[in-house]
Amino acid sequence: MLDTIEKVINKISMPSKDFLDIRYAYAMGESFTVRNGRFDSVSNQTTGGVAIRALIDNAWGFTTIVTIDEESILKAAEKAIRIAKIGSKFAKQERKIKDDWVFEGKGMTKLEIDPREIDKKTKFEKIIQTEKAAREFSDRIAETSSTYQETHSKECVINSKGTKVENENHVVRIMKNVIAREGTEMQSVFDSIGGTGGWELIQKWEPEKEGLEAAGMALKLLSARKPPSGRMNVIMDPSLTGVFVHEAFGHACEADAVIAKQSVLENRINKRVGVEEINVYDDPTLPGLRGSFDYDSEGTKARKRVLVEKGILKEYFHTLETATALDMEPNGSGRAMNFNFTPLARMGNTYVDSGDKSLEEIAELTKEGVYLKNSYGGYVMPAKGQFYFSCQLGYFIEDGEITDMIGNVGMSGMTLEVFQNTYAVGKKWAPEFLGTCGKQGQGIPVTAGGPDIGVSGIVIGGSQ
Amino acid sequence: MSTKINLHELAEKVIKLGLSFGADQVEAYTIFGAARNVQLERGSIRKFTDVSNSGLGVRIIKNKAIGMASTTIFSHDSIEKTVKDAYSLAKVTPPDENFKSLPEDTRPTPEIKGCFDQNIIELSVEDFTVMILEGVQEAQVRDDAIIGGSFTAGSGERFIINSQGIDRFSKQTSITGYLGVKIQDGDDIGNAYYFDSSKMLADFDHLIVGKEAGTRALKMLGSQKIESATLPILLDPDSCMGTISPIISSGINAFNVFNRTAYFVDKIGDAIASDKLSITDDPFYHGGVDSSAFDDEGVIPQKLNLVKEGILSTYITDSYTAPLVGLDNTGHASRGSFASRPTPSTYSLDIKAGETTKDTLLEDLKEGILLIGSSIVDMSGNPQISAQINQGFYIKDGEVQYPVKNAMIGTTVFEVLEKIEDFSKEQQNRHGHKSPWMLLSPLQVSGGK
């Protein structure tokens, strides 16, 4: 496919001030779900096509096609150029891509055991046993489900500046979801493992243990105390720290949001955004995590990004366009969900680095408040710097001790206040938030994490 | 986009292929669409997009086991592989004893007016851009307002054919757009957005998108943190629909009812809300953005009274769930995409208006919170709600005092429905989704002060 694309690129004459890239993306995936003892969904998905992007005189034109012969790609490229030229008549801001950044190479996820070689019945067994163990735990368990997913994708991209890159990626995941119900009270427990790699990542999932643990926790939550309401000290566990650093802080570090003046971190490079103990990184080169990759969808080599060092903001997430606009270096953050979308500045594996406090020490410093765990996800308004996350469970902290359990609750805060109001950072970070990050209609796999951190002034939305 | 014959042939081929492999039943769901998008950044054009959104979803049943496969590639080899994949999955999957049959419905397809507009097909990129920039002009409430957004004009055709005699075709157009506006005075940020969506070009109001986004952003300047308190909540029509719609859609979905995770299990005929609440669901509203002559399995739906004076009237079902809850198939199957299995979902809700004016509802509030485009919903799916106030205002003695920031509402879906105190007589109609203003008795508000 790379040859076909190269032939097309070579047939199009582009002035050096302009830019054209052609990306072929193909993905095949399987997804199986067992719910309440029945197979709820057993499916196989294939997507494939070619994306063509042209930047002409400050405006982008973008087209996609699912026919992949040379003539069709050439016609689509001409169309992308044509609509970019129309856009350029209305564009007011300068937009270009530097000639300096040319990448060549081939990236591939390390696969120890190719999941495509694993019998479907073996995959089925993992989710059947997980779901069954949870379902049979108690008659107060209302709904149980377990899902297995694998995706195998190939991408190759060539651009008019000379970049020529191929990428192959494999992502697997197994999940469990249990809902316990008593009258009108319901509590859910969700968890998953997985990442880039093969069946070896799924092998460590012990179905019965996983099912029983989820069911047991869901039942405990039914009799948990009602969550409190108001502004208080909060300890966020590695999952919640992860969702904060991704949703609230990470999205604000995306350079397209900065350029669009929709980020509270605009003009804050080399300025203090947190206390001295805060260090934040994003590293797609960490092996095996959901947000791991070698090259992004623009063909840029991925590398570790140092977002915050000792509380000082150091770096944004860049595409080729944003790096040019802000006169910075691209860092391999241009990710696209599939051929039907353009690459955007995105995260990979984002985390707060470890500090020096044990959980007990953080609780002691907290005195009164809550310890919240396991996020369902959340959303953020980057321009305003306000975030919201939903947590599966938590505990009261009373007189410096972690005490009674509380059920699911939401939390809200201001992005720029959290790292400034951090009073303790835990000893060991963990990549505990496995998510699918959404931006402009594109969902991409990511991981986020951190240690337990203690933060003052978070608003908790309980009902009492 | 003259794909009708080809898509129909393709779908028929899928049915024949599936049956020839040995399937008991086969369904082909095909869509072919095209969309033109214009993205704005800082008030200027950033990107033009012209993409196709097409795909084929195949569902195959063999010995009560269901296998599904999908593709975006319409070549002969790809189609054949997709059918084979679905059949292979059905063969290795354990049977689902709850599955009865794919639906049978040979009634003629009803006509719904206002779903297809040739003007959208013929809208040139230049004219579309000029229209968008007029919207941007309206949003420019201050010279330093930062305006971003996205507008899309698209069209699509849909074929659903199954081996039980379903054979449906529809085509529609759509135009959608939103603008976000940010205004900043030092650390004080006013940020808001507004959107419109329609199937007909003449019904799409690009100017109101800009005007509302701009004026709302101005109003959001000067936000303050508030103390925690128990306060009544007044919701504008978008907030009311955004709150009630997910509660009802999830709460009466027969799939959730069967799994006993719906909010309203075994509640047909019982009070689930204040007697002020009456809701109908109308799939046939002419020009409705979510109107459809048939559901995503090809079954013709019914206009339903969902809730009448607080009493739950029915659940919404599809072919799989109707027998499980002992009701007829109401034709509410909905797919997230061509690749998804359908589950029940509502079309266009009409929340009945009350008799009090919206101004009276506001003026009578001694103290409370006004929500504008900011729903009371929770991400967990549980009945407990712990929701952030995205665009809310503190009210004192019937007057808006200031926007609030960093505040949340803690409640449950049951409490929200029980505490409906009144609806306004004014009702907003967003192309079939009709909603009045709604007043809720005091709820727990967590403040950031």
Side-chain angles (χ1 to χ4, degrees), chain A residues 26 28 30 32 35-36 38-49 55 58-66 79 83-84 86-95 120-121 124 128 142-143 179 181 184-188 226 228-231 256 259-264 266 268 319 321 339-340 342-344 376-379 381-390 408-414 417 440 457-464, chain B residues 39 41-54 66-74 78 81-82 85-86 88-90 92-98 125-126 129-130 133 146-148 178 180-182 184 187 189 191 220 223 225 228 255-256 258-265 320 324 338-339 341 377-391 404-412 414-415 444-449:
Chain A
Y26 175 89
M28 194 281 287
E30 285 184 337
F32 313 134
R35 187 186 311 274
N36 288 2
R38 303 176 308 280
F39 271 82
D40 182 51
S41 175
V42 178
S43 67
N44 166 309
Q45 310 91 29
T46 303
T47 60
L55 178 58
N58 305 322
W60 285 102
F62 178 66
T63 60
T64 63
I65 48 167
V66 293
K79 185 177 179 184
I83 62 174
I86 296 172
S88 68
K89 287 189 272 181
F90 300 95
K92 288 180 191 162
Q93 277 128 24
E94 189 183 49
R95 213 176 289 285
K120 287 197 175 38
K121 287 190 173 164
F124 287 171
I128 288 171
E143 182 181 307
I179 304 175
R181 180 168 193 159
T184 58
E185 178 77 17
M186 285 200 284
Q187 290 286 346
S188 313
K226 298 283 179 212
S229 165
R231 190 169 186 260
D256 49 1
I259 289 169
K261 297 188 172 293
Q262 297 295 323
S263 168
V264 288
E266 185 193 353
R268 290 192 185 254
T319 61
E321 180 192 348
F339 74 95
N340 238 359
T342 52
L344 302 171
Y376 281 122
Y379 63 88
M381 292 176 281
K384 204 168 158 185
Q386 188 169 323
F387 64 84
Y388 162 84
F389 308 136
S390 180
N408 90 275
V409 69
M411 58 182 272
S412 168
M414 305 304 289
E417 292 177 4
Q440 294 179 24
I458 298 285
V459 176
I460 303 298
S463 54
Q464 61 179 30
Chain B
Q39 191 192 10
E41 186 183 275
R42 286 181 287 159
S44 173
I45 301 297
R46 178 177 184 272
K47 182 176 71 180
F48 280 169
T49 296
D50 192 333
V51 296
S52 73
N53 293 310
S54 305
I66 304 166
M68 293 175 62
S70 64
T71 184
T72 60
I73 305 167
F74 282 7
S78 171
K81 179 180 177 299
T82 304
D85 285 346
S88 303
L89 287 171
V92 297
T93 302
D96 179 352
E97 295 302 331
N98 289 325
V125 176
E126 285 89 346
T129 306
V130 168
L133 293 175
I146 309 295
I147 302 162
Y178 84 90
V181 178
K182 178 184 172 187
Q184 193 158 2
D187 288 339
I189 297 171
N191 183 222
M220 292 306 293
S223 62
K225 292 180 178 177
S228 297
F255 186 77
N256 295 343
F258 177 69
N259 287 323
R260 305 195 73 76
T261 55
Y263 305 137
F264 310 116
V265 177
Y320 180 80
L324 301 180
F338 57 86
R341 181 175 174 171
V377 293
D378 192 89
M379 294 187 76
S380 70
N382 292 334
Q384 303 86 295
I385 296 176
S386 188
Q388 179 169 251
I389 297 175
N390 292 333
Q391 291 183 80
V404 300
K405 65 177 174 186
N406 201 197
M408 299 185 75
I409 295 173
T411 181
T412 67
F414 310 111
E415 189 179 41
Q444 180 64 46
V445 176
S446 307
K449 204 168 183 177

Side-chain angles (χ1 to χ4, degrees), chain B residues 214-234:
Chain B
T215 51
R216 287 180 182 202
L218 273 180
K219 286 179 183 169
M220 292 306 293
L221 281 171
S223 62
Q224 296 181 30
K225 292 180 178 177
I226 56 171
E227 302 273 3
S228 297
T230 305
L231 296 170
I233 314 287
L234 178 62

Side-chain angles (χ1 to χ4, degrees), chain A residues 369-423:
Chain A
V370 287
Y371 173 37
L372 298 181
K373 289 173 72 75
N374 300 355
S375 173
Y376 281 122
Y379 63 88
V380 65
M381 292 176 281
K384 204 168 158 185
Q386 188 169 323
F387 64 84
Y388 162 84
F389 308 136
S390 180
C391 321
Q392 292 184 27
L393 66 123
Y395 297 87
F396 279 98
I397 298 168
E398 294 165 312
D399 201 17
E401 300 278 331
I402 296 170
T403 61
D404 298 340
M405 183 182 273
I406 54 179
N408 90 275
V409 69
M411 58 182 272
S412 168
M414 305 304 289
T415 303
L416 288 179
E417 292 177 4
V418 171
F419 286 150
Q420 299 278 14
N421 292 343
T422 298
Y423 53 81

Side-chain angles (χ1 to χ4, degrees), chain B residues 55-302:
Chain B
L56 163 71
V58 178
R59 188 159 49 147
I60 279 183
I61 290 87
K62 177 71 179 171
N63 298 330
K64 285 183 160 283
I66 304 166
M68 293 175 62
S70 64
T71 184
T72 60
I73 305 167
F74 282 7
S75 68
H76 174 80
D77 288 351
S78 171
I79 303 295
E80 187 164 324
K81 179 180 177 299
T82 304
V83 179
K84 264 186 191 159
D85 285 346
Y87 180 68
S88 303
L89 287 171
K91 271 205 333 185
V92 297
T93 302
D96 179 352
E97 295 302 331
N98 289 325
F99 177 84
K100 301 297 180 205
S101 173
L102 290 174
E104 299 173 13
D105 186 351
T106 53
R107 289 173 290 173
T109 307
E111 185 193 355
I112 303 177
K113 288 180 183 148
C115 289
F116 186 85
D117 185 357
Q118 192 63 27
N119 292 318
I120 291 180
I121 304 285
E122 291 169 3
L123 182 64
S124 72
V125 176
E126 285 89 346
D127 288 348
F128 193 27
T129 306
V130 168
M131 187 174 112
I132 292 162
L133 293 175
E134 285 172 359
V136 170
Q137 190 72 26
E138 289 291 314
Q140 198 78 50
V141 288
R142 265 178 33 176
D143 288 346
D144 60 347
I146 309 295
I147 302 162
S150 176
F151 288 74
T152 303
S155 59
E157 298 182 348
R158 175 177 61 148
F159 275 97
I160 306 173
I161 297 185
N162 76 21
S163 56
Q164 310 310 106
I166 292 275
D167 190 341
R168 305 278 186 204
F169 164 72
S170 69
K171 64 177 183 176
Q172 67 171 45
T173 49
S174 66
I175 180 162
T176 63
Y178 84 90
L179 287 174
V181 178
K182 178 184 172 187
I183 297 168
Q184 193 158 2
D185 286 335
D187 288 339
D188 185 13
I189 297 171
N191 183 222
Y193 76 96
Y194 199 72
F195 78 98
D196 194 19
S197 177
S198 168
K199 284 181 175 170
M200 307 293 284
L201 185 59
D203 293 342
F204 181 73
D205 195 340
H206 60 289
L207 298 178
I208 202 80
V209 171
K211 191 174 178 184
E212 281 294 322
T215 51
R216 287 180 182 202
L218 273 180
K219 286 179 183 169
M220 292 306 293
L221 281 171
S223 62
Q224 296 181 30
K225 292 180 178 177
I226 56 171
E227 302 273 3
S228 297
T230 305
L231 296 170
I233 314 287
L234 178 62
L235 297 92
D236 80 337
D238 285 335
S239 306
C240 172
M241 182 60 79
T243 300
I244 297 295
S245 177
I247 292 176
I248 294 298
S249 295
S250 172
I252 66 169
N253 170 333
F255 186 77
N256 295 343
V257 171
F258 177 69
N259 287 323
R260 305 195 73 76
T261 55
Y263 305 137
F264 310 116
V265 177
D266 301 330
K267 291 286 181 189
I268 290 180
D270 291 351
I272 61 162
S274 144
D275 60 8
K276 303 278 183 187
L277 182 68
S278 293
I279 307 173
T280 54
D281 184 28
D282 185 1
F284 305 119
Y285 182 83
H286 292 304
V289 280
D290 289 317
S291 296
S292 182
F294 54 90
D295 74 0
D296 274 342
E297 292 183 306
V299 174
I300 296 169
Q302 305 162 34

